[in-house]
């Protein structure tokens, strides 16, 4: 079965750039979406189809996808961005989530 | 605004059954694919099932195939998940979620979830 691999944790200082990776076989051939989930809350779609920001998502969130790796980039990271982040893609007729990355802003 | 409200969770014994519902409002339900996604306590997101906007295509995660059935009633703007032969590992918060635009565009609206606990 298809797998998406994320680092368990990433740390970033306020105002700096955070990068969270998601790896999978030929992932660049698929569309990747990213979700933010804060404690006790439902996930929020922050990046759609590799690079698209849904309405209401700040410009500091961006995405890319090429080869075997997709990347979520948060520029000028703020304390409010501290959360778990999940990548997601379709493989054939199945939806796959990455294991999640805990972003710590310190 | 878009709203998704799940219900039907509870405590059930191993081998038992539950039917979850997700009542929606604020969008044209019959135009969007819908999903169930679950999250075990302290764990990550796990996709459960998808149903196309018209109910004609349904897909399931391998571990749910044959035990879970997704369905929808477009006249009632409601999504369902029938869960049979429940196991302890099915214990989780179950979310319903709506496709953003097309199927590969992600899930742009989520409910608050309904908790399913499988325990003897």
């Amino acid at each position: 079965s298809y797998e998406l691999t994320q680092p368990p944790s990433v740390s970033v200082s306020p105002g700096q750039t955070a990068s969270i990776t998601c790896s999978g076989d030929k992932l660049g051939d698929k569309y990747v979406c990213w979700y933010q989930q804060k404690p006790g809350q439902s996930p929020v779609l922050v990046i759609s189809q590799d690079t698209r920001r849904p309405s209401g998502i700040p410009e500091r969130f961006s995405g890319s996808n090429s080869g075997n790796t997709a990347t979520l980039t948060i520029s000028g990271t703020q304390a409010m961005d501290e959360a778990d982040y999940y990548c997601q893609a379709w493989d054939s007729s199945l939806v796959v989530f990455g294991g999640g990355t805990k972003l710590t802003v310190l | 605004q878009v709203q998704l409200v799940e219900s039907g969770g509870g405590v059930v014994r191993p081998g038992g059954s539950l039917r979850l519902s997700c009542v929606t409002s604020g969008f044209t339900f019959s135009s969007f694919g819908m999903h169930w996604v679950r999250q075990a306590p302290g764990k990550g997101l796990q996709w459960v099932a998808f149903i196309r906007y018209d109910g004609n295509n349904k897909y399931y995660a391998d571990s749910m195939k044959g035990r879970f059935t997704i369905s929808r009633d477009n006249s009632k703007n409601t999504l369902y998940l029938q869960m049979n032969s429940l196991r302890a590992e099915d214990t989780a918060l179950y979310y319903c979620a709506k496709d953003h635009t097309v199927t590969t565009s992600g899930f742009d609206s989520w409910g608050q979830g309904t908790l399913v606990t499988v325990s003897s």
Side-chain angles (χ1 to χ4, degrees):
Chain A
S1 61
Y2 195 80
E3 293 186 357
L4 295 175
T5 301
Q6 299 180 235
S9 62
V10 168
S11 297
V12 64
S13 299
Q16 299 304 301
T17 297
S19 295
I20 299 173
T21 59
C22 174
S23 300
D25 185 48
K26 298 181 181 178
L27 186 57
D29 293 343
K30 308 177 189 298
Y31 278 127
V32 174
C33 301
W34 290 91
Y35 301 86
Q36 175 194 70
Q37 187 180 32
K38 296 181 179 180
Q41 298 184 17
S42 302
V44 174
L45 179 68
V46 295
I47 294 291
S48 169
Q49 293 187 315
D50 296 340
T51 61
R52 302 183 179 196
R53 269 181 298 105
S55 174
I57 301 302
E59 289 186 10
R60 63 180 182 273
F61 288 87
S62 64
S64 64
N65 184 18
S66 179
N68 294 324
T69 303
T71 303
L72 172 68
T73 302
I74 309 172
S75 304
T77 307
Q78 300 182 10
M80 67 172 66
D81 299 329
E82 186 164 286
D84 293 327
Y85 290 86
Y86 296 89
C87 59
Q88 172 256 311
W90 278 86
D91 177 60
S92 299
S93 301
L94 301 177
V95 172
V96 181
F97 283 98
T101 298
K102 182 176 180 59
L103 178 67
T104 301
V105 182
L106 38 69
Chain B
Q1 73 280 21
V2 173
Q3 285 196 313
L4 294 82
V5 180
E6 304 94 336
S7 63
V11 180
V12 61
R13 296 192 184 279
S17 299
L18 276 179
R19 188 196 197 202
L20 307 184
S21 299
C22 171
V23 177
T24 73
S25 60
F27 67 102
T28 305
F29 180 72
S30 58
S31 297
F32 290 91
M34 297 292 296
H35 301 256
W36 286 99
V37 178
R38 71 185 186 183
Q39 188 168 34
K43 302 297 185 182
L45 301 174
Q46 182 183 23
W47 175 75
V48 173
F50 161 80
I51 185 168
R52 204 173 75 167
Y53 64 94
D54 57 2
N56 284 341
N57 283 61
K58 304 175 185 181
Y59 305 134
Y60 299 90
D62 288 345
S63 59
M64 288 72 161
K65 210 172 294 185
R67 300 189 302 127
F68 291 9
T69 303
I70 190 171
S71 62
R72 65 191 296 160
D73 186 335
N74 285 350
S75 69
K76 296 182 178 179
N77 295 332
T78 302
L79 176 72
Y80 302 100
L81 184 68
Q82 177 67 44
M83 304 187 297
N84 299 330
S85 303
L86 284 162
R87 308 165 180 167
E89 54 264 36
D90 295 318
T91 293
L93 186 64
Y94 285 72
Y95 295 101
C96 63
K98 164 190 166 291
D99 271 345
H100 178 36
T101 52
V102 297
T103 304
T104 56
S105 62
F107 317 150
D108 68 353
S109 299
W110 299 63
Q112 287 304 303
T114 186
L115 182 62
V116 172
T117 303
V118 184
S119 174
S120 54

